[in-house]
Amino acid sequence: MPFSGFSERAIRFLGELSQNNERAWFEAHRDEYESLLVEPAKEFVVELGSLLRGLDPKIHAIPRVRGSIKAMEQLRGFRKNPRPPYKDHLDVWFWSGTRRMWDNAGFFLRLTPTRLILAGGMIEFQKDALARYRERAVEHRERVER
């Protein structure tokens, strides 16, 4: 089915999740999560993925949770300030490269209860890539200053 957008109800769901960010509430509303967010996100990934491949034939667009659709569950870990169990937003990531990490260039969408964020580029550099980037930036600056 072609992507027809995220409904107002999907936006309300995200707002309600931010107000009721508990495992019991989420599990009681899992069907809404699937129908309002996951299913439209899959359609979005398929459609936009095919368009993005026009820009980059190597782009990965995997229409599933833990593919291009980021899981809502947050890793708890050992933190001073524990996070709520679920994100109150939907993240979708299209990446270019062999690994599905944030260190690859790509395109990003975040849907929150109050805004839509679209981005392109790299989220973070791996250590060796960061070193190469810094070297090139210094070389460029030195050439410009001459």
Side-chain angles (χ1 to χ4, degrees):
M1 182 183 309
F3 178 67
S4 59
F6 292 99
S7 68
E8 287 183 38
R9 181 65 192 111
I11 306 304
R12 280 196 308 273
F13 175 86
L14 290 171
E16 290 168 9
L17 174 59
S18 69
Q19 298 299 311
N20 303 287
N21 203 322
E22 301 165 355
R23 199 164 309 283
W25 186 92
F26 188 84
E27 290 304 321
H29 295 85
R30 185 171 283 280
D31 290 345
E32 290 174 83
Y33 160 68
E34 292 288 336
S35 65
L36 297 171
L37 292 171
V38 174
E39 291 308 315
K42 288 178 182 178
E43 295 165 0
F44 176 76
V45 168
V46 169
E47 278 198 41
L48 188 58
S50 92
L51 294 172
L52 290 174
R53 283 190 192 97
L55 298 172
D56 179 355
K58 297 177 189 171
I59 205 83
H60 293 272
I62 300 172
R64 65 177 165 80
V65 173
R66 293 188 175 82
S68 288
I69 304 165
K70 299 296 178 193
M72 297 293 279
E73 296 84 9
Q74 300 214 63
L75 298 175
R76 301 298 291 240
F78 298 99
R79 299 177 180 276
K80 283 184 181 178
N81 301 318
R83 293 193 253 184
Y86 301 95
K87 297 174 191 166
D88 63 352
H89 55 272
L90 175 71
D91 287 342
V92 180
W93 175 241
F94 303 88
W95 71 96
S96 183
T98 55
R99 298 171 37 188
R100 187 177 54 96
M101 302 291 285
W102 290 105
D103 60 323
N104 291 304
F107 303 94
F108 174 76
L109 168 133
R110 174 170 286 169
L111 179 64
T112 78
T114 58
R115 68 177 116 176
L116 173 67
I117 300 167
L118 302 170
M122 290 185 75
I123 304 284
E124 63 187 48
F125 287 106
Q126 291 253 335
K127 205 174 199 177
D128 59 333
L130 180 58
R132 286 192 312 271
Y133 175 80
R134 287 178 173 158
E135 285 174 24
R136 302 252 173 18
V138 168
E139 290 170 5
H140 176 73
R141 186 180 68 207
E142 289 171 350
R143 269 188 265 125
V144 169
E145 290 174 353
R146 286 184 209 164

